[in-house]
Amino acid sequence: MSLLPKIPHVLYGGDYNPEQWPEEVWEEDVRLMREAGVNIVTVGVFSWALLEPRPGEYVFDWLDRLLELLHANGIHADLATATASPPPWLAKLDPESLPVTREGVRLWPGSRQHYCPSSVTYADAARALVEQLAARYGKHPAVALWHVNNEYGCHVPACYCDQCAAHFRHWLQERYGSLDAFNEAWGTAFWSQRYGDWDEIQPPRAAPAFRNPSQEIDWQRFCSDALLELFLMERAVLERDAPGTPITTNFMSFFKPVDYWKWARHVDLVADDEYPDPAEPSSAVDFSASCDLMRSLGSRAGWVLMEQAVSAVNWLTPNVPKHPGKMRLGSYQALARGAEGILFFQWRASQFGAEQFVSAMVPHAGTSTRSWREVVQLGGELAQLDSVLGTQVEADVALLFDWESWWALEVPGKPSPNLLLPDQIKRWYRAFWEQNIAVDFAHPEADLSRYRLVVAPNLYLLTDDAASNLERFVDGGSTAAFSFFSGIVDSRGHVRLGGYPAPLRKLLGIVVTEFWPLPDDEPCSIVLGEQRYACEHWRDWIELEGAEVVGTFADGWLEGRPAVTRNGGAWYVGTRPNPGATAELVRRLATEAKVASSVAAPPGVEAVRRSADGRSLLFLLNHGSQEASVEIAGEQLDLLSGAKHSGRVVLDPFGVAVLTT
Ligand code: GLA
Ligand code: ZN
């Protein structure tokens, strides 16, 4: 079973922008697409100005010809609604449709995504365009998927204009009902911030000092919701006028401005854009984390890597290409972690425009290139991997992750400026990755019953529901570990009184009475068992209330005091342990929770299993530039090479094997 009924194979393709090329080139494009095994291309993402050159005047003949050509060649379309970059006429018609920054600067056309999410002019024009597209192409045999807008919030996550201010007030009225409830939630008794009328409320525009944290959290919620409203508006048109075709939009990994837990409920499949920096050694691990997040967002039903680079992009410093083999390796990483399609940005490298130097499936230098050969090789391999479709990654561990808590944590004015959630998540994630233990991400209020172990890094904002969910989880015999500065505030951003972390105090059998954040240059270490490890950023002053001590601070003012505790299945880590200590804690937690690695593999070899209905595929991915040897059980077939291996498999540098018995 595939995610797209029209394409019963692993999806393979990329963003295709044929409007940048004369039509003669299209013929060559489809010929090369077939050579590369491409079965789907995303078209029309930035075509609004061509589809509607003047207000209300639509031109579809070129798109008609393109879709026919694709169809005649057996290639499907992920048809974009083209609303991500409005034509210049929209700004001329209504300059207020343009977004405004926190400092009050208006952003003008000439790039992309220059629209205010609250602009009625923008929304009306977008709706009209989507209605045209849905009516014209809703039943087109080439159209396998709708691609709404593009990367919502990418460049303009928030607009601070007056229309957005009014929209925000409306959103607040819906959320709080009365001004009193609203004032209470925002804690406006502080710094003379009490509002006497809804119209006095503003977005968090540039201000003299720290802004109200409750205002900041609600603003982030609102901004994510305002974009979601636009998505749902387009989705409703497509459902009404072009029913039956799946609808998605492309997410961007751990993208702070948009709450993908909330959004994921409204897409028919999760699609994601990923650009790990080839120059950054840790990017392979972070990429796996993103893939796991996407799988988790998609309720484990499968997701699609909608965009990745064949080689370099043009927005890093510098833009390093992917070493031969690494594009293939990254593609299999995504596939191993549940992807059902591998797509790129973009098909043919642009000759002009701001992305001239972004790599593509067909590079400027053409097809006598190593990168083209890698594209063709990968397409050929994926075409043989139908057996992957529908298989699942079964994880016994979940990392708890919540956008609202992320927003709240990173509002300035905290005990330490070093509390960046992605850093905390990545430190824990890497320890599981290195031990080849499969991990899902989960919302703290989600049903956790399928997991044996959950880890909550810096889960700063914790609702009552989440707290009782976690209590139930541990009471049921499972293991949970919380890192410092978790369970500190409620959903309004108010501190939960009664000793930190108040809602978890009983569960953890401890109370934290004071925070002792560390200056960057102050050494800090803990002792775990016989071993001493460095730690950073933070120390908690922990008083025991039934918990036992697992590790202690080994220096400084807190020397000898508890640093790591456990109370039955509930563990607490009152500092940020270095990678070695985190790995040791993960080993202990995994043993405790009876969670196993997919396979024992040497360092740098990633091992992930996908399985279903008796089928089991073991993906082995060598991230090292040296050969690596992995012990395997019995005789297994490598679906990529066709070779049978017995007892062990030797992987090339950056090599991959997909093994089955
Ligand atoms: C994003 C966008 C694409 C393109 C690429 C370039 O993923 O969706 O349109 O800009 O980045 O890296
Ligand atoms: Zn606005």
PDB file of all heavy atoms in Angstrom, residues 310-335:
ATOM      1  N   VAL A 310      20.286  17.793  -3.910  1.00  0.00           N
ATOM      2  CA  VAL A 310      21.125  16.764  -4.512  1.00  0.00           C
ATOM      3  C   VAL A 310      22.549  16.952  -3.995  1.00  0.00           C
ATOM      4  O   VAL A 310      23.247  15.999  -3.675  1.00  0.00           O
ATOM      5  CB  VAL A 310      21.093  16.879  -6.054  1.00  0.00           C
ATOM      6  CG1 VAL A 310      22.102  15.925  -6.679  1.00  0.00           C
ATOM      7  CG2 VAL A 310      19.692  16.616  -6.564  1.00  0.00           C
ATOM      8  N   SER A 311      22.961  18.213  -3.895  1.00  0.00           N
ATOM      9  CA  SER A 311      24.305  18.491  -3.381  1.00  0.00           C
ATOM     10  C   SER A 311      24.268  19.784  -2.557  1.00  0.00           C
ATOM     11  O   SER A 311      23.678  19.803  -1.486  1.00  0.00           O
ATOM     12  CB  SER A 311      25.284  18.532  -4.555  1.00  0.00           C
ATOM     13  OG  SER A 311      26.599  18.559  -4.085  1.00  0.00           O
ATOM     14  N   ALA A 312      24.805  20.898  -3.093  1.00  0.00           N
ATOM     15  CA  ALA A 312      24.871  22.120  -2.281  1.00  0.00           C
ATOM     16  C   ALA A 312      23.577  22.926  -2.350  1.00  0.00           C
ATOM     17  O   ALA A 312      22.791  22.796  -3.288  1.00  0.00           O
ATOM     18  CB  ALA A 312      26.030  22.988  -2.769  1.00  0.00           C
ATOM     19  N   VAL A 313      23.359  23.776  -1.339  1.00  0.00           N
ATOM     20  CA  VAL A 313      22.326  24.821  -1.435  1.00  0.00           C
ATOM     21  C   VAL A 313      23.048  26.162  -1.606  1.00  0.00           C
ATOM     22  O   VAL A 313      24.253  26.193  -1.877  1.00  0.00           O
ATOM     23  CB  VAL A 313      21.399  24.825  -0.194  1.00  0.00           C
ATOM     24  CG1 VAL A 313      20.559  23.578  -0.161  1.00  0.00           C
ATOM     25  CG2 VAL A 313      22.188  24.994   1.099  1.00  0.00           C
ATOM     26  N   ASN A 314      22.340  27.258  -1.480  1.00  0.00           N
ATOM     27  CA  ASN A 314      23.003  28.564  -1.659  1.00  0.00           C
ATOM     28  C   ASN A 314      22.798  29.483  -0.460  1.00  0.00           C
ATOM     29  O   ASN A 314      23.021  30.679  -0.555  1.00  0.00           O
ATOM     30  CB  ASN A 314      22.524  29.255  -2.940  1.00  0.00           C
ATOM     31  CG  ASN A 314      21.126  29.830  -2.793  1.00  0.00           C
ATOM     32  OD1 ASN A 314      20.352  29.361  -1.959  1.00  0.00           O
ATOM     33  ND2 ASN A 314      20.805  30.834  -3.585  1.00  0.00           N
ATOM     34  N   TRP A 315      22.363  28.916   0.666  1.00  0.00           N
ATOM     35  CA  TRP A 315      22.069  29.774   1.814  1.00  0.00           C
ATOM     36  C   TRP A 315      22.837  29.390   3.077  1.00  0.00           C
ATOM     37  O   TRP A 315      22.532  29.854   4.164  1.00  0.00           O
ATOM     38  CB  TRP A 315      20.566  29.834   2.082  1.00  0.00           C
ATOM     39  CG  TRP A 315      19.857  28.511   1.982  1.00  0.00           C
ATOM     40  CD1 TRP A 315      19.237  28.006   0.869  1.00  0.00           C
ATOM     41  CD2 TRP A 315      19.701  27.516   3.000  1.00  0.00           C
ATOM     42  NE1 TRP A 315      18.707  26.749   1.133  1.00  0.00           N
ATOM     43  CE2 TRP A 315      18.972  26.436   2.436  1.00  0.00           C
ATOM     44  CE3 TRP A 315      20.105  27.429   4.327  1.00  0.00           C
ATOM     45  CZ2 TRP A 315      18.648  25.287   3.145  1.00  0.00           C
ATOM     46  CZ3 TRP A 315      19.781  26.284   5.047  1.00  0.00           C
ATOM     47  CH2 TRP A 315      19.056  25.233   4.443  1.00  0.00           C
ATOM     48  N   LEU A 316      23.858  28.542   2.905  1.00  0.00           N
ATOM     49  CA  LEU A 316      24.711  28.238   4.053  1.00  0.00           C
ATOM     50  C   LEU A 316      26.033  28.992   3.876  1.00  0.00           C
ATOM     51  O   LEU A 316      26.260  29.631   2.849  1.00  0.00           O
ATOM     52  CB  LEU A 316      24.954  26.730   4.124  1.00  0.00           C
ATOM     53  CG  LEU A 316      23.723  25.895   4.491  1.00  0.00           C
ATOM     54  CD1 LEU A 316      23.966  24.417   4.222  1.00  0.00           C
ATOM     55  CD2 LEU A 316      23.345  26.104   5.952  1.00  0.00           C
ATOM     56  N   THR A 317      26.890  28.911   4.856  1.00  0.00           N
ATOM     57  CA  THR A 317      28.160  29.633   4.737  1.00  0.00           C
ATOM     58  C   THR A 317      29.320  28.715   5.068  1.00  0.00           C
ATOM     59  O   THR A 317      29.577  28.513   6.254  1.00  0.00           O
ATOM     60  CB  THR A 317      28.192  30.834   5.709  1.00  0.00           C
ATOM     61  OG1 THR A 317      27.670  30.381   6.964  1.00  0.00           O
ATOM     62  CG2 THR A 317      27.425  32.010   5.198  1.00  0.00           C
ATOM     63  N   PRO A 318      30.071  28.236   4.105  1.00  0.00           N
ATOM     64  CA  PRO A 318      29.806  28.293   2.672  1.00  0.00           C
ATOM     65  C   PRO A 318      28.895  27.137   2.286  1.00  0.00           C
ATOM     66  O   PRO A 318      28.525  26.331   3.138  1.00  0.00           O
ATOM     67  CB  PRO A 318      31.198  28.101   2.069  1.00  0.00           C
ATOM     68  CG  PRO A 318      31.876  27.190   3.068  1.00  0.00           C
ATOM     69  CD  PRO A 318      31.299  27.522   4.419  1.00  0.00           C
ATOM     70  N   ASN A 319      28.583  27.053   1.005  1.00  0.00           N
ATOM     71  CA  ASN A 319      27.679  26.005   0.517  1.00  0.00           C
ATOM     72  C   ASN A 319      28.472  24.821  -0.010  1.00  0.00           C
ATOM     73  O   ASN A 319      28.821  24.748  -1.179  1.00  0.00           O
ATOM     74  CB  ASN A 319      26.756  26.584  -0.544  1.00  0.00           C
ATOM     75  CG  ASN A 319      25.844  27.613   0.057  1.00  0.00           C
ATOM     76  OD1 ASN A 319      24.944  27.293   0.821  1.00  0.00           O
ATOM     77  ND2 ASN A 319      26.102  28.875  -0.243  1.00  0.00           N
ATOM     78  N   VAL A 320      28.746  23.913   0.906  1.00  0.00           N
ATOM     79  CA  VAL A 320      29.583  22.759   0.590  1.00  0.00           C
ATOM     80  C   VAL A 320      28.738  21.708  -0.130  1.00  0.00           C
ATOM     81  O   VAL A 320      27.596  21.457   0.269  1.00  0.00           O
ATOM     82  CB  VAL A 320      30.147  22.199   1.921  1.00  0.00           C
ATOM     83  CG1 VAL A 320      30.858  20.896   1.724  1.00  0.00           C
ATOM     84  CG2 VAL A 320      31.065  23.236   2.563  1.00  0.00           C
ATOM     85  N   PRO A 321      29.279  21.095  -1.196  1.00  0.00           N
ATOM     86  CA  PRO A 321      28.505  20.039  -1.869  1.00  0.00           C
ATOM     87  C   PRO A 321      28.488  18.753  -1.049  1.00  0.00           C
ATOM     88  O   PRO A 321      29.236  18.607  -0.080  1.00  0.00           O
ATOM     89  CB  PRO A 321      29.274  19.818  -3.179  1.00  0.00           C
ATOM     90  CG  PRO A 321      30.651  20.304  -2.913  1.00  0.00           C
ATOM     91  CD  PRO A 321      30.574  21.347  -1.821  1.00  0.00           C
ATOM     92  N   LYS A 322      27.620  17.825  -1.464  1.00  0.00           N
ATOM     93  CA  LYS A 322      27.606  16.522  -0.792  1.00  0.00           C
ATOM     94  C   LYS A 322      28.678  15.637  -1.424  1.00  0.00           C
ATOM     95  O   LYS A 322      28.716  15.484  -2.653  1.00  0.00           O
ATOM     96  CB  LYS A 322      26.224  15.872  -0.922  1.00  0.00           C
ATOM     97  CG  LYS A 322      25.171  16.579  -0.076  1.00  0.00           C
ATOM     98  CD  LYS A 322      23.821  15.882  -0.109  1.00  0.00           C
ATOM     99  CE  LYS A 322      22.819  16.688   0.721  1.00  0.00           C
ATOM    100  NZ  LYS A 322      21.443  16.216   0.570  1.00  0.00           N
ATOM    101  N   HIS A 323      29.488  15.045  -0.592  1.00  0.00           N
ATOM    102  CA  HIS A 323      30.507  14.100  -1.039  1.00  0.00           C
ATOM    103  C   HIS A 323      29.822  12.986  -1.839  1.00  0.00           C
ATOM    104  O   HIS A 323      28.697  12.591  -1.495  1.00  0.00           O
ATOM    105  CB  HIS A 323      31.171  13.543   0.228  1.00  0.00           C
ATOM    106  CG  HIS A 323      32.329  12.661  -0.038  1.00  0.00           C
ATOM    107  ND1 HIS A 323      32.194  11.369  -0.480  1.00  0.00           N
ATOM    108  CD2 HIS A 323      33.650  12.890   0.072  1.00  0.00           C
ATOM    109  CE1 HIS A 323      33.403  10.832  -0.626  1.00  0.00           C
ATOM    110  NE2 HIS A 323      34.289  11.737  -0.296  1.00  0.00           N
ATOM    111  N   PRO A 324      30.504  12.444  -2.888  1.00  0.00           N
ATOM    112  CA  PRO A 324      29.876  11.331  -3.615  1.00  0.00           C
ATOM    113  C   PRO A 324      29.375  10.251  -2.652  1.00  0.00           C
ATOM    114  O   PRO A 324      30.088   9.869  -1.727  1.00  0.00           O
ATOM    115  CB  PRO A 324      31.021  10.809  -4.501  1.00  0.00           C
ATOM    116  CG  PRO A 324      31.893  12.008  -4.722  1.00  0.00           C
ATOM    117  CD  PRO A 324      31.792  12.842  -3.469  1.00  0.00           C
ATOM    118  N   GLY A 325      28.164   9.813  -2.860  1.00  0.00           N
ATOM    119  CA  GLY A 325      27.573   8.769  -2.018  1.00  0.00           C
ATOM    120  C   GLY A 325      26.717   9.316  -0.893  1.00  0.00           C
ATOM    121  O   GLY A 325      25.877   8.612  -0.337  1.00  0.00           O
ATOM    122  N   LYS A 326      26.916  10.577  -0.530  1.00  0.00           N
ATOM    123  CA  LYS A 326      26.195  11.072   0.650  1.00  0.00           C
ATOM    124  C   LYS A 326      24.747  11.434   0.363  1.00  0.00           C
ATOM    125  O   LYS A 326      23.901  11.356   1.250  1.00  0.00           O
ATOM    126  CB  LYS A 326      26.936  12.264   1.245  1.00  0.00           C
ATOM    127  CG  LYS A 326      28.136  11.843   2.055  1.00  0.00           C
ATOM    128  CD  LYS A 326      28.347  12.824   3.188  1.00  0.00           C
ATOM    129  CE  LYS A 326      29.356  12.321   4.168  1.00  0.00           C
ATOM    130  NZ  LYS A 326      29.648  13.297   5.215  1.00  0.00           N
ATOM    131  N   MET A 327      24.473  11.824  -0.854  1.00  0.00           N
ATOM    132  CA  MET A 327      23.065  12.082  -1.198  1.00  0.00           C
ATOM    133  C   MET A 327      22.286  10.761  -1.112  1.00  0.00           C
ATOM    134  O   MET A 327      21.184  10.699  -0.560  1.00  0.00           O
ATOM    135  CB  MET A 327      22.979  12.696  -2.609  1.00  0.00           C
ATOM    136  CG  MET A 327      21.589  12.969  -3.104  1.00  0.00           C
ATOM    137  SD  MET A 327      20.768  11.509  -3.761  1.00  0.00           S
ATOM    138  CE  MET A 327      21.511  11.391  -5.396  1.00  0.00           C
ATOM    139  N   ARG A 328      22.915   9.702  -1.610  1.00  0.00           N
ATOM    140  CA  ARG A 328      22.270   8.378  -1.558  1.00  0.00           C
ATOM    141  C   ARG A 328      22.114   7.936  -0.101  1.00  0.00           C
ATOM    142  O   ARG A 328      21.047   7.482   0.323  1.00  0.00           O
ATOM    143  CB  ARG A 328      23.126   7.385  -2.345  1.00  0.00           C
ATOM    144  CG  ARG A 328      22.666   5.950  -2.294  1.00  0.00           C
ATOM    145  CD  ARG A 328      23.513   5.107  -3.247  1.00  0.00           C
ATOM    146  NE  ARG A 328      23.136   3.696  -3.224  1.00  0.00           N
ATOM    147  CZ  ARG A 328      23.776   2.775  -2.526  1.00  0.00           C
ATOM    148  NH1 ARG A 328      24.816   3.112  -1.765  1.00  0.00           N
ATOM    149  NH2 ARG A 328      23.392   1.514  -2.585  1.00  0.00           N
ATOM    150  N   LEU A 329      23.175   8.124   0.665  1.00  0.00           N
ATOM    151  CA  LEU A 329      23.130   7.727   2.075  1.00  0.00           C
ATOM    152  C   LEU A 329      21.999   8.463   2.804  1.00  0.00           C
ATOM    153  O   LEU A 329      21.201   7.851   3.525  1.00  0.00           O
ATOM    154  CB  LEU A 329      24.482   8.051   2.720  1.00  0.00           C
ATOM    155  CG  LEU A 329      24.647   7.739   4.206  1.00  0.00           C
ATOM    156  CD1 LEU A 329      24.561   6.240   4.463  1.00  0.00           C
ATOM    157  CD2 LEU A 329      26.000   8.273   4.708  1.00  0.00           C
ATOM    158  N   GLY A 330      21.909   9.776   2.599  1.00  0.00           N
ATOM    159  CA  GLY A 330      20.856  10.565   3.254  1.00  0.00           C
ATOM    160  C   GLY A 330      19.473  10.117   2.812  1.00  0.00           C
ATOM    161  O   GLY A 330      18.518  10.077   3.615  1.00  0.00           O
ATOM    162  N   SER A 331      19.351   9.773   1.546  1.00  0.00           N
ATOM    163  CA  SER A 331      18.046   9.331   1.040  1.00  0.00           C
ATOM    164  C   SER A 331      17.616   8.040   1.735  1.00  0.00           C
ATOM    165  O   SER A 331      16.453   7.881   2.122  1.00  0.00           O
ATOM    166  CB  SER A 331      18.119   9.103  -0.473  1.00  0.00           C
ATOM    167  OG  SER A 331      18.520  10.292  -1.116  1.00  0.00           O
ATOM    168  N   TYR A 332      18.588   7.123   1.920  1.00  0.00           N
ATOM    169  CA  TYR A 332      18.242   5.869   2.610  1.00  0.00           C
ATOM    170  C   TYR A 332      18.006   6.076   4.101  1.00  0.00           C
ATOM    171  O   TYR A 332      17.250   5.333   4.725  1.00  0.00           O
ATOM    172  CB  TYR A 332      19.308   4.796   2.359  1.00  0.00           C
ATOM    173  CG  TYR A 332      19.127   4.178   0.999  1.00  0.00           C
ATOM    174  CD1 TYR A 332      20.014   4.425  -0.036  1.00  0.00           C
ATOM    175  CD2 TYR A 332      18.006   3.393   0.732  1.00  0.00           C
ATOM    176  CE1 TYR A 332      19.817   3.892  -1.306  1.00  0.00           C
ATOM    177  CE2 TYR A 332      17.794   2.853  -0.524  1.00  0.00           C
ATOM    178  CZ  TYR A 332      18.701   3.104  -1.535  1.00  0.00           C
ATOM    179  OH  TYR A 332      18.483   2.584  -2.779  1.00  0.00           O
ATOM    180  N   GLN A 333      18.654   7.096   4.647  1.00  0.00           N
ATOM    181  CA  GLN A 333      18.358   7.421   6.058  1.00  0.00           C
ATOM    182  C   GLN A 333      16.875   7.747   6.195  1.00  0.00           C
ATOM    183  O   GLN A 333      16.195   7.278   7.104  1.00  0.00           O
ATOM    184  CB  GLN A 333      19.147   8.678   6.442  1.00  0.00           C
ATOM    185  CG  GLN A 333      20.242   8.470   7.424  1.00  0.00           C
ATOM    186  CD  GLN A 333      20.876   9.801   7.794  1.00  0.00           C
ATOM    187  OE1 GLN A 333      21.442  10.477   6.940  1.00  0.00           O
ATOM    188  NE2 GLN A 333      20.796  10.168   9.047  1.00  0.00           N
ATOM    189  N   ALA A 334      16.389   8.592   5.284  1.00  0.00           N
ATOM    190  CA  ALA A 334      14.978   8.978   5.346  1.00  0.00           C
ATOM    191  C   ALA A 334      14.093   7.755   5.131  1.00  0.00           C
ATOM    192  O   ALA A 334      13.104   7.536   5.847  1.00  0.00           O
ATOM    193  CB  ALA A 334      14.686  10.055   4.304  1.00  0.00           C
ATOM    194  N   LEU A 335      14.473   6.941   4.144  1.00  0.00           N
ATOM    195  CA  LEU A 335      13.667   5.753   3.843  1.00  0.00           C
ATOM    196  C   LEU A 335      13.650   4.811   5.052  1.00  0.00           C
ATOM    197  O   LEU A 335      12.591   4.297   5.444  1.00  0.00           O
ATOM    198  CB  LEU A 335      14.264   5.042   2.625  1.00  0.00           C
ATOM    199  CG  LEU A 335      13.300   4.179   1.836  1.00  0.00           C
ATOM    200  CD1 LEU A 335      12.279   5.029   1.105  1.00  0.00           C
ATOM    201  CD2 LEU A 335      14.059   3.312   0.825  1.00  0.00           C
TER     202      LEU A 335
END
